[in-house]
Amino acid sequence: MLHSMSTTVEPASDRSADEVNEEIRALWRRSGGTLSGEQREEYRRLVLEWAAAMHRPVHAA
């Protein structure tokens, strides 16, 4: 099976990795452990956002 990659550039989020991780966990809880096609796409987007947030410098408030 071939999977296509999106070439759409999404704006960077200002959310922390912890915030995005919590949304990922909530998605899994809502799904009951099995993601639909739409949920898999949301999960993919969230993981990419989480990875980007992990590489941003942390600024003290």
Side-chain angles (χ1 to χ4, degrees), residues 8-14 49:
T8 305
V9 176
E10 295 181 14
S13 171
D14 289 333
E49 182 181 347

Side-chain angles (χ1 to χ4, degrees), residues 8-45:
T8 305
V9 176
E10 295 181 14
S13 171
D14 289 333
R15 298 190 298 173
S16 71
D18 287 341
E19 290 173 307
V20 179
N21 188 40
E22 184 53 40
E23 189 170 340
I24 291 169
R25 289 173 184 266
L27 173 63
W28 278 106
R29 283 191 298 269
R30 286 192 313 271
S31 75
T34 304
L35 300 176
S36 69
E38 185 177 313
Q39 289 169 322
R40 279 193 304 273
E41 186 58 33
E42 180 180 1
Y43 175 74
R44 180 185 116 0
R45 180 189 58 78

